[in-house]
Amino acid sequence: MKRRMVVWAGGAALAAAALTPAAAQGAETSGRAGTTGQRAAAVCEIWQGSVTASGQHTSSEVAATTPPSVLDQRITEGAFQPGQIRLSARTTSEPNVAGPDRYGYVVIGDALYWSNYAINAATGQIDPDEQHLLRRVGGGWTPFTMLETSTYETIDGDFSRSVAYGMRENGVLYRWKIVNGTWQSNGSYAGFAAVKSMTLISKSPTYDTFLANTRGGALYTIRIPSSVPMRPIVKPVRSRTWQGFEVLSAMACGRNSTLLLGIDKDTKSGYLYAVGHANGLSTLIRSLGKVAGTFDDPVYFRWVPIPVYDIANGD
């Protein structure tokens, strides 16, 4: 990319506004930031993204209103070719005076790619003067069914930790360290063949935690310490009724809680839950109801702000 972010309008003010992805999304379109920020102060939201069958990028705010609602739906045309993307990790939308830069990792066929493009603030679409970069990282991804990244960064920049996770269809979970765009093997662990979907709910200097549902209906937390060898700590949260979701998507809500979206691809429906700080079987989970609208895209992911403001403390 030729351009990078050159202005942060008041560091303290930005820190307050960008603690949630919803606030960061509001900054993408002039005139909408205030409205989005006011809603973010009133209710928790998930900044949900997808890749459509025709290759569009979508973004929307799934809000914990009563009943749950989908707000500020937007479509970016021509992000990818039709049917091109098979898996997507969380994707960053970084503010820029000319329009946000968007980047993250995707799987195309058997290969992993770094995707990076810029949005023109005036049109809300991909800037034709900027190259859409798809850089191949490596192959061997045909057997993988899940991709996610986790980057923890302190606000002073003194510490950062960036890793990626991939689940193979045989239930082996792999981890890589990401150093300057290079992926380095960082461990694996077998035994997750029953997992249907998982979503990141915590990241810290020393561990990441996922919330995962199984084909048998159970719900678990999977805490993965950053140490080597990789030894996940699995705790049951619920024993049944969670088998219907092919996608789980989570975002911080409050200081230590999580807003959780479950997507049932069979019925093309979404359901929203408020989840308390993870505490095994004692974890508080409150159903907020069915989300209005249809969830029928082939690939879903989370939009996030830059890592220092992408907060997750659910465990």
Side-chain angles (χ1 to χ4, degrees):
M1 306 293 288
K2 290 181 290 185
R3 60 181 194 163
R4 297 301 300 161
M5 180 177 58
V6 295
V7 175
W8 287 96
L14 177 68
L19 283 174
T20 67
Q25 183 191 26
E28 289 192 8
T29 303
S30 61
R32 281 182 148 178
T35 301
T36 303
Q38 292 165 9
R39 283 204 311 271
V43 298
C44 291
E45 299 172 340
I46 296 177
W47 187 7
Q48 189 61 42
S50 73
V51 183
T52 69
S54 58
Q56 302 161 317
H57 251 164
T58 78
S59 64
S60 58
E61 296 162 21
V62 181
T65 53
T66 304
S69 55
V70 178
L71 309 172
D72 278 0
Q73 293 177 287
R74 307 178 195 178
I75 294 176
T76 301
E77 301 287 350
F80 303 101
Q81 297 299 313
Q84 185 180 28
I85 302 303
R86 194 168 65 81
L87 300 173
S88 176
R90 56 185 50 209
T91 302
T92 300
S93 184
E94 180 177 341
N96 188 298
V97 291
D101 293 322
R102 294 178 173 177
Y103 47 85
Y105 290 97
V106 296
V107 172
I108 300 173
D110 184 59
L112 176 74
Y113 287 82
W114 169 255
S115 170
N116 190 345
Y117 66 83
I119 291 292
N120 184 300
T123 65
Q125 296 298 315
I126 295 176
D127 191 334
D129 295 329
E130 298 284 340
Q131 180 185 7
H132 182 183
L133 174 66
L134 276 174
R135 177 176 61 82
R136 191 179 189 274
V137 178
W141 280 82
T142 297
F144 284 84
T145 60
M146 185 276 290
L147 168 68
E148 186 57 289
T149 56
S150 173
T151 300
Y152 180 88
E153 237 176 67
T154 56
I155 197 164
D156 58 14
D158 288 344
F159 177 85
S160 67
R161 181 178 70 89
S162 185
V163 295
Y165 299 91
M167 181 82 79
R168 287 172 66 105
E169 57 194 6
N170 62 359
V172 179
L173 182 65
Y174 290 81
R175 181 178 62 191
W176 296 266
K177 288 177 64 176
I178 305 176
V179 181
N180 296 324
T182 299
W183 286 39
Q184 304 171 357
S185 179
N186 193 236
S188 64
Y189 195 89
F192 294 111
V195 169
K196 194 172 184 181
S197 177
M198 52 197 293
T199 183
L200 190 70
I201 62 168
S202 276
K203 52 185 183 139
S204 81
T206 58
Y207 67 87
D208 295 308
T209 301
F210 288 86
L211 189 64
N213 67 322
T214 69
R215 293 174 178 83
L219 192 66
Y220 291 90
T221 54
I222 304 172
R223 178 186 281 201
I224 307 173
S226 58
S227 56
V228 177
M230 182 173 158
R231 291 177 178 168
I233 301 165
V234 180
K235 292 184 179 181
V237 175
R238 294 292 186 270
S239 61
R240 56 191 179 88
T241 75
W242 286 84
Q243 68 274 11
F245 299 127
E246 285 76 29
V247 176
L248 294 179
S249 184
M251 177 181 146
C253 179
R255 184 178 297 273
N256 294 306
S257 298
T258 300
L259 189 63
L260 178 67
L261 172 66
I263 297 176
D264 183 339
K265 286 193 171 184
D266 293 330
T267 62
K268 302 177 182 179
S269 302
Y271 296 85
L272 205 58
Y273 301 86
V275 181
H277 193 68
N279 186 27
L281 293 170
S282 298
T283 304
L284 297 176
I285 301 179
R286 181 166 63 95
S287 174
L288 302 178
K290 186 177 181 180
V291 182
T294 302
F295 293 81
D296 58 356
D297 291 327
V299 178
Y300 286 94
F301 64 90
R302 266 279 319 280
W303 289 103
V304 293
I306 59 175
V308 69
Y309 299 121
D310 181 21
I311 307 301
N313 295 316
D315 174 35

